[in-house]
Amino acid sequence: MAWDVEEILSRLPLESRVRLLSGKDAWHTADLPDEGVRVVAMADGPHGLRRQEAARDQLGATGSVPATCFPTAAALASSWDAGLLTEVGAALGAEAAAEGVDVVLGPGLNIKRHPFGGRNFEYFSEDPLLSGRLAAAMVRGIRSTGTAACVKHFAVNNAETNRLVVDAVIDERTLREIYLTGFEIVIRESGPDAIMAAYNKVNGTYCCEHPSLLTRILRGEWGFTGLVMSDWGATNDRVAAVAAGMDLEMPGSGGVSDADVVDAVQSGRLTGDAVDACAGRVLQLAARRPADRPAVDHQRHHRLARRAAAQSTVLLANNGLLPLVDVGSVAVIGAFAARPRFQGAGSSLVNPTRVDTALAALESRPGLRVTYSPGYGAQTVGVDSGLITRAAQAAREADVAVVLVGLPGAQESEGFDRVDLHLPRQHDELVEAVCSANPNTVVALSNGSPVALPWADRPAAILECYLGGQAGGSALVDVLFGDEGPAGRLAESFPYAAADVPGDPWFPCDSRRAEYREGVFVGYRYYDTARVPVRYAFGHGLSYTDFEYGPLRLDPVETPDDQAQPGTDALVTATVSVTNTGTRPGHEVAQVYVHRVAGSHTDAAPPAGPEQELRGFDKVHLEPGESTDVAIPLGPRAFAHYDTAVCGWRITAGDYEIRVGSSSRDICAAAVVRLGESSAAGAEPGRPRCTVLPGGSAATAGQQQRPGADPGDLLARSDDAFARLLGHPIPQPRPERPFHRNSTIGDLRTTATGRLLRAGLRRLIAAPLARIAAGDDEMQRRLMSAADEAPLRQIVLFSNGLITWQALDAAIDWLNGEPRRAARGFAAVAQGQMWPAAVRRIRPRRH
């Protein structure tokens, strides 16, 4: 569809242009039939399409159409395979097109700051490069079908606790290097059609009305030309949001704030150009020709989901038992074998086209005797010694025991964060008992984020399957018997204890302020710098074969000055030979890390930074005895840091050690380059001189022996240290009283009148949440607790226009003990219901 956006805008009255800036309902943009402007349909889809059949159901209480449930992002990231992510993205896009969905709301790529993050299963990694590259690959796949992709949640959305009102307090360098880099990679490499602004604040300003994030960085520096929409119910101030460059409020609020935007333009508080820019981007999205509706082959997509799950499975430990050979009998233990936990809970919940169970997949193997013992309840966390005793007996009578354990849905979901690193006690005790009964025990984990494994030295093998999607059961069996090799590598570190996590003292938040006192030292950047032992390192993963790395060769890339593209062309190519020295085919992921050599940056020393950072990777498949050269280009950004003094990326002159290995703790070869100074160039560093130094692998000989940095020196534990990191005093959260639009439902407990209102609101919320929890009492309890964190403004946003801002403000006046003011407000609301134009003249108070 081709049209002249400017011409259409010129014909539309202000009210119609403003109407375009809010959704028609929960899943569609507003249409203008007289102008030929169609609705744009959206659906969740980070790992499978969730198209709601009810137009106003944003909670998912009414169910969704069947769709292929692929492995979650936590699993797919472990594949380290951009090609696989592109395939999955193309399948998502095709299924969306078949259902008439124009925009897939995904992928999500926020950083995994802490294993407790309730939504970690939806995100890729603790590393921004890996997150960005894989998300970009998925976006390319989605867009290849004609379907649009919307990446989320922009930005610094790393916890569920108080996510609707929390302020992420973070220094500029950390923001740029860790939390924005993944989004920047996606924008530059895949050109997504839309981006979703997050619920939270960043340094005091809600993301939906953050001009620095939405305009200066996203559009100005990165060149994003697509649409910015709010997360569902994230809009705080429509006028400020439009001014900042947020184009579309979702879901539709019944136009409850349209009058505010119109008044702001008419009074001069908001320019008409700002409205036109936002409306123009909505029209551009609507102008995209709807994707052709293909006939979807769900069987083929199921096979892809099975292959993706196997390729993402990480072999954490193996004493040689796997792959299983000449096994006559297997005891399958754990309720997840029959009732698998294959996806996370919340807005990404997919109604699968089918579900493979590990039990059925094992029973279908010819000549294999299979016994099953549940060992625990699939949705319970209590201890039942009888179930454990029967499971141990089943294990004792079999050649091999396969134990499936993990986290029930009530322990990790959108809406709330985890509270500890442990599996349910029943699961831990089950593993211990089965290992005692049969030393040939394989443990398969189903979880969306790292867990503590106090029994890790007991099983013969441990497989991290994450949440493997609807074909995860068959994929597990494929890996157990070697039909598919375990090709995954961890995209996140597995700490021994929560106390080892750098951000743990400040996670999830202090009241409504999340303090990022660990700075750039997130995940392996901290563990490797401080030499903190970890259970399993970032990038770790075993294979059924062995690989050997040759020496690392560095080749500077000479580019004429008139052809150089700052920040994009390679400075140096790192090449290493990888050989499969084993007897089975397998996959290897060559990972390239860059380390600043201490003491070599004498003229302008960079700020303290991590021991090393991932700057490139490549996954290869090799047959036994086969070798290949892996060549990974490294551009200027691989050596740059964000210089807050000049607000730009900069490379300081000095030596940089380039390391290649199979994990951040298993470095196989290294070499050193010497770089000249680069001038900071805003969005990109300049291109410095590059010289390869002699010495080869000797440069890293003492890497693991060097003492680590004192953890206390890396983390801003004191308030003074955090203020220095921020470059300004620590902002203080707003007092809970008096009540305001961003007071939460839970805040109402502090007064008698508030408790009455809270009780009524909770009764309204309980029914849909009960349907979502589907009989899981613990899940319902946690969701009800999370509902207390909703701000009062969402009562208006989700009322579809039934409740106005004036009515909410009057209720807040009543809660604050101002009955006369509340009475005037309610009287004005009553007038507005009789004469709607009067509502427009009531100027809302800003909170």
Side-chain angles (χ1 to χ4, degrees):
M1 185 185 302
W3 55 32
D4 187 331
V5 169
E6 295 297 329
E7 197 271 334
I8 291 178
L9 288 175
S10 69
R11 295 200 308 268
L12 293 178
L14 176 60
E15 289 78 4
S16 295
R17 281 175 276 156
V18 170
R19 186 67 196 92
L20 287 172
L21 309 187
S22 183
K24 182 176 184 177
D25 52 41
W27 302 108
H28 300 86
T29 63
D31 57 345
L32 297 174
D34 292 344
E35 299 292 342
V37 178
R38 67 184 183 94
V39 298
V40 174
M42 308 178 193
D44 282 309
H47 59 269
L49 193 70
R50 187 181 74 112
R51 186 176 77 77
Q52 299 299 127
E53 294 177 314
R56 294 222 58 85
D57 178 17
Q58 60 265 356
L59 294 177
T62 58
S64 57
V65 299
T68 306
C69 181
F70 291 95
T72 62
L76 289 174
S78 298
S79 74
W80 291 61
D81 189 336
L84 178 65
L85 271 290
T86 299
E87 287 187 71
V88 172
L92 286 173
E95 294 197 15
E99 291 292 341
V101 171
D102 300 290
V103 182
V104 168
L105 302 175
L109 65 148
N110 292 96
I111 292 296
K112 297 183 179 185
R113 181 189 176 208
H114 196 296
F116 290 179
R119 213 166 178 175
N120 278 5
F121 61 85
E122 275 191 46
Y123 298 144
F124 291 110
S125 176
E126 67 189 31
D127 181 81
L129 176 76
L130 183 58
S131 295
R133 292 271 174 86
L134 296 180
M138 180 173 279
V139 168
R140 286 193 294 270
I142 294 171
R143 299 188 77 234
S144 71
T145 65
T147 304
C150 175
V151 297
K152 59 186 186 182
H153 304 88
F154 191 63
V156 203
N157 182 235
N158 312 109
E160 293 298 283
T161 303
N162 278 324
R163 64 175 177 163
L164 302 169
V165 294
V166 72
D167 184 11
V169 181
I170 186 169
D171 68 284
E172 184 71 11
R173 179 191 172 201
T174 299
L175 177 66
R176 293 291 194 138
E177 293 187 13
I178 305 297
Y179 295 95
L180 295 188
T181 291
F183 288 99
E184 180 180 4
I185 291 170
V186 173
I187 299 302
R188 294 186 185 276
E189 293 189 2
S190 64
D193 308 272
I195 193 166
M196 184 185 293
Y199 286 115
N200 52 283
K201 298 177 183 178
V202 173
N203 292 329
T205 303
Y206 279 102
C207 290
C208 288
E209 54 197 57
H210 207 300
S212 179
L213 285 177
L214 303 187
T215 297
R216 182 170 65 87
I217 296 174
L218 179 63
R219 300 193 188 280
E221 293 184 19
W222 302 346
F224 179 66
T225 59
L227 176 139
V228 176
M229 69 178 72
S230 73
D231 202 342
W232 266 230
T235 307
N236 174 62
D237 182 326
R238 278 286 302 285
V239 174
V242 172
M246 192 198 80
D247 307 307
L248 179 64
E249 173 195 45
M250 289 300 293
S253 61
V256 72
S257 297
D258 287 4
D260 298 345
V261 180
V262 171
D263 282 352
V265 173
Q266 292 175 341
S267 67
R269 292 183 292 119
L270 179 69
T271 67
D273 289 345
V275 171
D276 288 354
C278 294
R281 289 186 283 262
V282 176
L283 289 174
Q284 290 286 12
L285 186 64
R288 297 174 81 259
R289 188 179 72 84
D292 295 331
R293 293 199 174 195
V296 174
D297 185 345
H298 284 291
Q299 290 301 319
R300 184 174 68 84
H301 286 182
H302 184 78
R303 291 192 296 272
L304 172 60
R306 180 172 178 170
R307 175 162 57 89
Q311 292 284 300
S312 302
T313 300
V314 184
L315 181 60
L316 296 177
N318 187 22
N319 69 0
L321 177 65
L322 295 183
L324 299 178
V325 178
D326 297 329
V327 173
S329 60
V330 172
V332 188
I333 296 169
F336 287 168
R339 296 181 59 190
R341 178 156 187 260
F342 56 90
Q343 63 175 323
S347 64
S348 65
L349 196 68
V350 178
N351 178 15
T353 59
R354 58 181 279 194
V355 177
D356 292 355
T357 70
L359 177 59
L362 282 166
E363 289 175 336
S364 70
R365 292 191 75 90
L368 186 67
R369 298 189 307 278
V370 178
T371 57
Y372 167 66
S373 184
Y376 55 84
Q379 291 183 320
T380 61
V381 294
V383 176
D384 185 328
S385 58
L387 288 176
I388 293 176
T389 299
R390 289 190 288 274
Q393 182 60 34
R396 194 173 293 112
E397 297 171 354
D399 295 337
V400 172
V402 177
V403 184
L404 285 78
V405 293
L407 295 175
Q411 289 195 251
E412 57 177 355
S413 168
E414 178 183 355
F416 54 84
D417 292 310
R418 290 168 60 190
V419 295
D420 60 54
L421 203 62
H422 303 289
L423 296 175
R425 179 182 165 193
Q426 177 86 357
H427 292 225
D428 281 336
E429 293 187 2
L430 176 67
V431 172
E432 294 276 9
V434 172
C435 287
S436 295
N438 188 337
N440 292 329
T441 293
V442 180
V443 174
L445 298 168
S446 297
N447 49 292
S449 196
V451 291
L453 305 174
W455 38 258
D457 60 343
R458 299 289 309 279
I462 304 173
L463 289 165
E464 174 56 87
C465 304
Y466 283 107
L467 304 179
Q470 67 180 51
S474 293
L476 169 60
V477 176
D478 291 341
V479 172
L480 288 173
F481 286 88
D483 301 335
E484 289 269 5
R489 303 294 184 267
L490 290 179
E492 57 193 335
S493 309
F494 271 50
Y496 278 100
D500 294 335
V501 179
D504 186 66
W506 311 287
F507 188 93
C509 60
D510 173 18
S511 182
R512 294 177 192 176
R513 184 180 62 211
E515 298 178 346
Y516 286 63
R517 294 188 180 222
E518 69 275 19
V520 298
F521 296 98
V522 178
Y524 74 90
R525 285 170 165 80
Y526 171 76
Y527 302 126
D528 292 351
T529 305
R531 299 287 191 272
V532 173
V534 292
R535 175 73 72 181
Y536 299 111
F538 176 80
H540 169 75
L542 304 178
S543 178
Y544 291 159
T545 189
D546 298 306
F547 297 97
E548 183 176 286
Y549 285 73
L552 178 63
R553 187 181 79 244
L554 302 181
D555 298 303
V557 178
E558 300 295 335
T559 303
D561 291 341
D562 61 349
Q563 297 180 20
Q565 298 294 318
T568 58
D569 286 324
L571 281 178
V572 62
T573 299
T575 304
V576 66
S577 175
V578 181
T579 303
N580 182 346
T581 59
T583 60
R584 298 179 64 92
H587 290 84
E588 175 65 332
V589 178
Q591 303 161 36
V592 172
Y593 298 85
V594 172
H595 160 76
R596 295 190 185 101
V597 178
S600 68
H601 301 256
T602 54
D603 294 334
E611 166 71 19
Q612 59 189 5
E613 298 180 273
L614 182 73
R615 296 310 195 199
F617 61 91
D618 195 14
K619 187 173 188 176
V620 294
H621 180 270
L622 298 174
E623 295 295 322
E626 183 182 3
S627 296
T628 191
D629 282 346
V630 177
I632 298 175
L634 301 173
R637 280 287 287 273
F639 307 93
H641 67 278
Y642 191 80
D643 188 338
T644 57
V646 295
C647 299
W649 294 92
R650 187 170 177 229
I651 299 171
T652 57
D655 297 345
Y656 295 80
E657 185 175 67
I658 298 173
R659 303 166 173 172
V660 63
S662 56
S663 79
S664 75
R665 294 287 175 93
D666 187 6
I667 301 300
C668 304
V672 179
V673 294
R674 177 165 293 164
L675 301 182
E677 187 80 14
S678 81
S679 58
E684 293 295 345
R687 187 180 179 85
R689 300 183 310 277
C690 177
T691 306
V692 177
L693 300 186
S697 298
T700 192
Q703 177 201 348
Q704 298 302 330
Q705 286 72 43
R706 290 196 303 270
D710 185 340
D713 294 337
L714 303 180
L715 312 177
R717 294 188 182 278
S718 72
D719 287 351
D720 287 344
F722 189 41
R724 287 194 299 272
L725 181 66
L726 293 172
H728 56 75
I730 303 172
Q732 298 303 306
R734 181 174 181 172
E736 291 186 5
R737 302 281 297 276
F739 296 119
H740 48 87
R741 290 182 183 181
N742 280 314
S743 296
T744 65
I745 293 174
D747 291 340
L748 301 180
R749 287 176 292 194
T750 58
T751 69
T753 52
R755 286 191 290 273
L756 289 173
L757 177 57
R758 175 177 175 266
L761 292 172
R762 286 173 64 85
R763 281 194 294 272
L764 291 174
I765 294 169
L769 290 187
R771 289 194 293 272
I772 294 170
D776 187 334
D777 293 340
E778 177 63 15
M779 173 70 83
Q780 185 175 1
R781 184 189 69 77
R782 292 193 176 221
L783 290 176
M784 285 296 296
S785 178
D788 262 347
E789 297 174 357
L792 298 180
R793 61 179 157 87
Q794 287 203 322
I795 298 172
V796 174
L797 296 176
F798 287 130
S799 73
N800 196 29
L802 295 178
I803 301 174
T804 65
W805 291 115
Q806 291 77 15
L808 177 63
D809 288 341
I812 291 172
D813 288 335
W814 173 63
L815 290 168
N816 284 329
E818 299 184 42
R820 292 184 179 180
R821 189 170 179 175
R824 290 196 298 269
F826 285 128
V829 170
Q831 276 190 323
Q833 290 172 344
M834 296 174 64
W835 300 285
V839 176
R840 192 174 297 177
R841 293 195 294 271
I842 301 172
R843 300 293 290 274
R845 296 197 309 278
R846 301 279 293 254
H847 292 274

